[in-house]
Amino acid sequence: QLLGVAFLNNKPDMTISAQAWLWHIQGRRDWPYRLIDVLFWFDDNHCQESFENECKGSQLPEECRPRQDRPP
């Protein structure tokens, strides 16, 4: 996250993987997510899942997650 903020002007809580997927869906650049997904070959769809987890707040403590992710 620190590298993303320092070098990519990321949001402070967004990982480089999530940012790479955001660039892909925005149509800005594809090579970062492709490179990262090759490096994490053992984790299918690494960048896409990282982005989706950021959107869901899955990395947050349970009490800080958006309501829809909290158990009933």
Side-chain angles (χ1 to χ4, degrees):
Q1 291 171 337
L2 176 62
L3 293 175
V5 171
F7 297 108
L8 304 174
N9 199 24
N10 274 14
K11 296 178 176 102
D13 193 39
M14 186 175 277
T15 64
I16 293 172
S17 298
Q19 181 65 51
W21 187 257
L22 179 60
W23 285 333
H24 167 67
I25 62 175
Q26 290 173 336
R28 293 177 64 191
R29 53 183 72 98
D30 280 342
W31 70 264
Y33 104 84
R34 293 181 191 278
L35 175 64
I36 293 168
D37 277 359
V38 166
L39 295 173
F40 288 89
W41 55 268
F42 50 88
D43 184 12
D44 291 339
N45 302 315
H46 174 80
C47 290
Q48 180 180 359
E49 290 177 4
S50 295
F51 178 76
E52 290 170 355
N53 287 335
E54 288 285 343
C55 291
K56 292 178 195 174
S58 300
Q59 78 285 6
L60 298 172
E62 190 173 321
E63 58 274 3
C64 297
R65 292 181 193 162
R67 270 223 186 268
Q68 66 269 19
D69 283 359
R70 291 186 192 167

